[in-house]
Amino acid sequence: MAMIQNDWLESISEEFKKPYYQQLYKFIREEYNTRVIYPPADDIFNALHLTPLSEVKVLILGQDPYHNEHQAHGLSFSVLPEQKDLPPSLQNIYKELQDDLGCYIPNNGYLEKWAKQGVLLLNTVLTVRAHQANSHQGKGWEQFTDAIIQAVNAQDRPIVYMLWGRPAQSKIPMLTNPKHLILKAPHPSPLSAYRGFFGCKHFSQANAFLEENGVMPIDWQIENL
């Protein structure tokens, strides 16, 4: 697990000392030593590496990393560049982006460009066994990622939350900062996208809010590779 080097450390370093995290670390280390786990261990904290706390403008909250090969790399909803079969939820995110902002649908699902602009692509659970969805739920990651969300909530500047689906929206009681905007919609998965994710216009709403508050908006277009 590559250690965090940037300004996140100040906000969450206390978590590493807590008993739950020490148990989690032990569990995760054993899992990586004995099973196939995604993402690769060095990618677990990519969302934090790529988006320093001081640069967060938008938080998109996912649940569990993708659990198939060449997909998960530490950013929620994103897959590695060589993965040409895009997960259905990501396909639906691209459809909504096209309808909302006129973005063309790219040939890849690599969302690093968003992360580098201040979009924190955070999953509530940061690891998973190959081909076993939710296999690392309830092991301690949720407590750790709640600490990350609380650190974002404490930031005294405009920030947008995109909360898709009930698990993401269960975090709303933690989001108490009046300077922040909370956007809610059903999850983009094929099971629920037609119940209000399509047409939610979260991307244009986020940019309008950032611009109104004097913050550079996000360029949401992922380019073809």
Side-chain angles (χ1 to χ4, degrees):
M1 290 158 72
M3 277 306 291
I4 296 156
Q5 306 286 358
N6 59 17
D7 62 0
W8 281 106
L9 206 51
E10 199 180 330
S11 294
I12 59 175
S13 59
E14 285 305 306
E15 299 303 306
F16 299 129
K17 301 171 190 167
K18 293 179 180 176
Y20 89 86
Y21 191 88
Q22 285 157 9
Q23 281 181 295
L24 171 66
Y25 183 84
K26 204 169 145 188
F27 167 76
I28 294 297
R29 195 171 58 185
E30 177 68 13
E31 286 282 283
Y32 274 94
N33 285 339
T34 56
R35 299 172 180 271
V36 178
I37 303 297
Y38 297 124
D42 285 348
D43 290 346
I44 293 173
F45 296 127
N46 267 354
L48 305 182
H49 294 316
L50 287 165
T51 313
L53 177 57
S54 59
E55 294 175 20
V56 174
K57 299 176 181 180
V58 178
L59 192 162
I60 299 180
L61 194 61
Q63 289 162 252
D64 209 37
Y66 297 125
H67 52 78
N68 291 327
E69 206 179 353
H70 303 311
Q71 290 189 325
H73 64 105
L75 303 180
S76 63
F77 295 103
S78 180
V79 291
L80 286 165
E82 60 266 27
Q83 183 64 38
K84 294 306 177 198
D85 292 328
L86 300 190
S89 292
L90 184 53
Q91 291 181 35
N92 287 338
I93 289 168
Y94 282 163
K95 283 179 192 165
E96 175 58 23
L97 262 172
Q98 187 176 46
D99 289 345
D100 186 11
L101 291 173
C103 295
Y104 70 80
I105 293 178
N107 63 1
N108 69 92
Y110 190 52
L111 305 182
E112 188 182 79
K113 176 183 173 180
W114 294 358
K116 287 182 169 176
Q117 295 180 80
V119 181
L120 181 61
L121 295 165
L122 181 68
N123 281 316
T124 52
V125 174
L126 299 186
T127 54
V128 68
R129 284 182 189 170
H131 318 303
Q132 292 183 46
N134 305 321
S135 47
H136 285 180
Q137 274 192 356
K139 302 295 185 185
W141 277 133
E142 293 89 345
Q143 194 170 337
F144 181 72
T145 53
D146 277 357
I148 293 171
I149 295 166
Q150 284 161 343
V152 175
N153 180 62
Q155 297 303 295
D156 187 30
R157 59 177 200 279
I159 291 174
V160 182
Y161 301 89
M162 295 186 186
L163 303 178
W164 301 332
R166 281 199 195 121
Q169 290 161 19
S170 73
K171 305 297 181 185
I172 288 173
M174 296 166 56
L175 305 178
T176 56
N177 194 320
K179 292 193 175 177
H180 297 175
L181 174 67
I182 298 170
L183 299 175
K184 297 183 292 183
H187 196 274
S189 92
L191 300 172
S192 54
Y194 288 94
R195 295 207 297 268
F197 177 77
F198 290 138
C200 70
K201 302 204 179 298
H202 279 189
F203 303 100
S204 58
Q205 285 186 65
N207 276 357
F209 175 79
L210 293 172
E211 287 186 285
E212 281 160 19
N213 286 282
V215 179
M216 177 80 76
I218 306 297
D219 174 9
W220 294 103
Q221 179 68 67
I222 298 294
E223 282 86 12
N224 283 334
L225 291 176

